[in-house]
Amino acid sequence: MRLYSTNGKSPEVSFEEAVFKGLPSDNGLFMPKEIKPLPNHFFEHIEELSFQEIAFEVTQSIIGDDIPSDDLQKIINEVLSFDAPVVNVHDNIHTLELFHGPTLAFKDFGARFMSRIMGYFLQEKAQKINILVATSGDTGSAVAQGFLGVPNINVTILYPKGKVSEIQEMQLTTNGQNIKALEIEGTFDDCQRMVKSAFLDEELSKKLGLSSANSINISRLIPQSFYYFYAYAQLKKQGKPVVFCVPSGNFGNLCGGLIAQKMGLPVHKFIAATNANDIVPTYLKEGKYEPKPSVQTISNAMDVGAPSNFARMQNLYEESLEAIREDIIGKSFTDEQTKEAIKRVFNQYGYILDPHGAVGYLAVEEYLKENPSEDVNTVFLETAHPCKFGDVVEPIIGQKIDIPQRLQEIVDREKQSTLMDANFESLKSYLLNENAEATDA
Ligand SMILES: *Cc1c(COP(=O)(O)O)cnc(C)c1O
């Protein structure tokens, strides 16, 4: 597999290089040079394949022979150790539940795949790396879980003290093994600044082999295409065209869908659903792309004012606004509408939406009103389990949400973290010290 930069000013790289570099040097984003359609017989029999079998075919088609079949099969089986069921909410509105992984959000797919891919390449070279991540909550926990126990990789997570939820803090600090948590006496921005300084520090890069687990890494994007195929497979026998609706922030999840479509998946339309951070819906409507500072909403994982995957979306459509508009419809909703949808869907249909999924539900509902003559199946992606947003959802539905067993277990574990002031020198001496111990042992 070869990858190019969307900015076109940095040389092509291999899959392995793209995974460890994260970003091309010209500040663009890596894209696969070739995305081939899968053969007809794959789609003719897709409903007979397991989730793992589908993902294996998709990955092999994208990455070619960069990873031998047996190893790739093992990676896929480890990554997809949980299901992604399509659940009917009512009538022709379905949801694709992407929260059955260890941290109860769809970012588990990307984080688990990236960790295994990195682990595979490092094992080939008998090399070790250190991953540094700053988190405001969810990305850090998915990364921690994804990399837990993966050989040759140590992960250090920086989170702002007192600024993540209790469950999130548990998810960050109770892992043990190769995952270390630093509780920073500062804000998320301080954490991010410290991580950035570390990447720029020559001594650290030389001694530690630092790498990021950035959300725009190509190895996080690829697995986000798997479940579109799998959802299609689950609905195929009904024989209706499928509309996918993706609650979006950085638009990585939607890009996974666009790649699936490029590989031949029959998709009638995509709906890009956002909260008040409506940069992409506005672009689709008015043709003007104007990033702005994000505003805070109750679907906070989508509070993004400059979507990092926008360049990939444009690139997939060769910068043609008309072509993008053919496939993607943009819609945005307020917090008030989101809360109303959570309440109504629970009261009428007994399904508990999380605030992100609720935005997706609203967009589907509006789409169906605007297109009454279409006989389609709609699928909105449920990107997180509602219990992760219990403080918002529970008062609206007037009852407690059960916490799944796999999350309940960590609540009983002991918190392990190192308190640190928001100072790069503290981080540097900590990292050098930790690493010295690791090599002496
Ligand atoms: C990250 C996230 C999103 C947004 O996904 P993008 O790929 O950034 O568009 C939506 N919902 C939840 C729960 C998330 O964690």
Side-chain angles (χ1 to χ4, degrees):
M1 175 196 203
R2 302 295 292 170
L3 299 103
Y4 65 91
S5 165
T6 52
N7 276 356
K9 295 198 184 79
S10 101
E12 281 180 24
V13 296
S14 68
F15 183 40
E16 181 177 344
E17 285 172 294
V19 168
F20 288 102
K21 281 184 89 159
L23 278 174
S25 46
D26 64 1
N27 259 325
L29 299 174
F30 285 123
M31 282 296 276
K33 203 172 163 197
E34 206 181 18
I35 303 174
K36 291 186 301 261
L38 287 157
N40 284 338
H41 68 82
F42 172 77
F43 293 106
E44 280 159 17
H45 299 284
I46 192 167
E47 70 277 20
E48 295 156 23
L49 303 178
S50 68
F51 192 12
Q52 291 86 346
E53 286 167 334
I54 290 172
F56 176 79
E57 293 291 328
V58 170
T59 311
Q60 201 163 50
S61 171
I62 298 178
I63 72 168
D65 50 14
D66 287 34
I67 297 178
S69 297
D70 287 355
D71 294 311
L72 184 60
Q73 189 69 66
K74 230 178 84 195
I75 291 170
I76 298 275
N77 290 349
E78 266 183 48
V79 171
L80 301 182
S81 56
F82 51 90
D83 199 16
V86 171
V87 173
N88 182 256
V89 178
H90 64 92
D91 304 295
N92 59 347
I93 301 183
H94 308 263
T95 183
L96 170 59
E97 293 184 345
L98 300 177
F99 54 70
H100 294 275
T103 74
L104 314 189
F106 89 94
K107 290 191 175 68
D108 282 331
F109 288 95
R112 287 169 77 81
F113 189 76
M114 173 167 60
S115 69
R116 267 66 179 185
I117 295 290
M118 283 184 167
Y120 169 79
F121 285 128
L122 290 171
Q123 172 203 323
E124 292 293 288
K125 295 192 298 189
Q127 204 181 319
K128 281 192 183 358
I129 59 163
N130 279 281
I131 291 197
L132 273 190
V133 210
T135 186
S136 54
D138 269 359
T139 299
S141 53
V143 168
Q145 265 294 329
F147 281 94
L148 183 63
V150 176
N152 302 319
I153 303 180
N154 288 321
V155 178
T156 307
I157 296 170
L158 287 75
Y159 71 96
K161 178 181 163 71
K163 295 192 177 65
V164 301
S165 76
E166 205 175 323
I167 286 185
Q168 283 172 333
E169 184 165 28
M170 287 295 155
Q171 287 180 312
L172 295 171
T173 59
T174 61
N175 292 291
Q177 297 185 54
N178 57 333
I179 314 293
K180 299 273 175 355
L182 300 179
E183 188 174 2
I184 305 298
E185 294 185 281
T187 61
F188 170 59
D189 288 340
D190 291 326
C191 298
Q192 227 168 3
R193 189 175 39 75
M194 290 164 78
V195 167
K196 274 200 187 129
S197 307
F199 284 120
L200 294 172
D201 188 279
E202 267 179 44
E203 187 184 0
L204 283 180
S205 331
K206 214 182 278 165
K207 288 194 174 153
L208 303 190
L210 287 185
S211 200
S212 91
N214 211 303
S215 66
I216 39 95
N217 195 296
I218 188 71
S219 63
R220 284 180 61 166
L221 191 62
I222 292 169
Q224 289 173 10
S225 66
F226 298 164
Y227 38 74
Y228 290 90
F229 291 94
Y230 184 48
Y232 171 82
Q234 292 176 65
L235 288 169
K236 189 185 158 201
K237 62 177 179 303
Q238 297 185 23
K240 292 183 185 179
V242 179
V243 174
F244 281 106
C245 175
V246 191
S248 296
N250 274 316
F251 288 81
N253 208 356
L254 180 71
C255 278
L258 299 180
I259 287 174
Q261 187 183 39
K262 206 157 178 162
M263 295 178 78
L265 183 72
V267 177
H268 183 61
K269 289 279 180 209
F270 286 101
I271 307 173
T274 72
N275 55 33
N277 296 282
D278 60 352
I279 287 71
V280 169
T282 302
Y283 163 76
L284 291 168
K285 210 178 296 152
E286 295 169 14
K288 271 183 283 186
Y289 178 67
E290 291 177 338
K292 43 188 178 207
S294 64
V295 295
Q296 204 181 343
T297 74
I298 56 168
S299 46
N300 57 22
M302 313 198 305
D303 293 350
V304 179
S308 57
N309 280 288
F310 184 71
R312 280 196 173 120
M313 282 173 71
Q314 279 204 306
N315 192 265
L316 280 163
Y317 288 96
E318 291 162 5
E319 325 283 322
S320 160
L321 176 62
E322 250 138 83
I324 295 184
R325 280 176 171 160
E326 271 299 295
D327 286 349
I328 309 172
I329 297 160
K331 295 195 176 293
S332 76
F333 299 91
T334 64
D335 278 356
E336 283 318 304
Q337 291 173 300
T338 308
K339 288 180 190 168
E340 183 275 332
I342 293 172
K343 186 175 188 139
R344 187 160 46 83
V345 171
F346 177 70
N347 287 341
Q348 287 187 8
Y349 308 107
Y351 191 86
I352 305 177
L353 296 165
D354 98 294
H356 307 80
V359 169
Y361 177 86
L362 282 163
V364 159
E365 203 177 38
E366 196 170 283
Y367 176 88
L368 289 171
K369 265 190 208 130
E370 290 166 356
N371 299 278
S373 60
E374 280 190 1
D375 187 19
V376 294
N377 261 326
T378 60
V379 182
F380 67 92
L381 277 50
E382 236 320 351
T383 49
H385 191 290
C387 79
K388 292 193 88 171
F389 301 91
D391 53 340
V392 174
V393 180
E394 285 174 356
I396 298 174
I397 63 170
Q399 69 176 58
K400 278 246 160 245
I401 303 169
D402 291 336
I403 296 178
Q405 185 59 33
R406 62 192 180 286
L407 197 62
Q408 192 62 54
E409 279 165 14
I410 68 161
V411 176
D412 304 328
R413 290 199 216 138
E414 196 188 339
K415 169 177 158 180
Q416 293 175 297
S417 67
T418 305
L419 197 62
M420 187 179 283
D421 54 2
N423 183 338
F424 169 62
E425 289 306 323
S426 310
L427 174 65
K428 183 170 174 176
S429 54
Y430 169 88
L431 288 172
L432 289 172
N433 195 31
E434 282 284 308
N435 224 56
E437 279 171 26
T439 40
D440 292 348

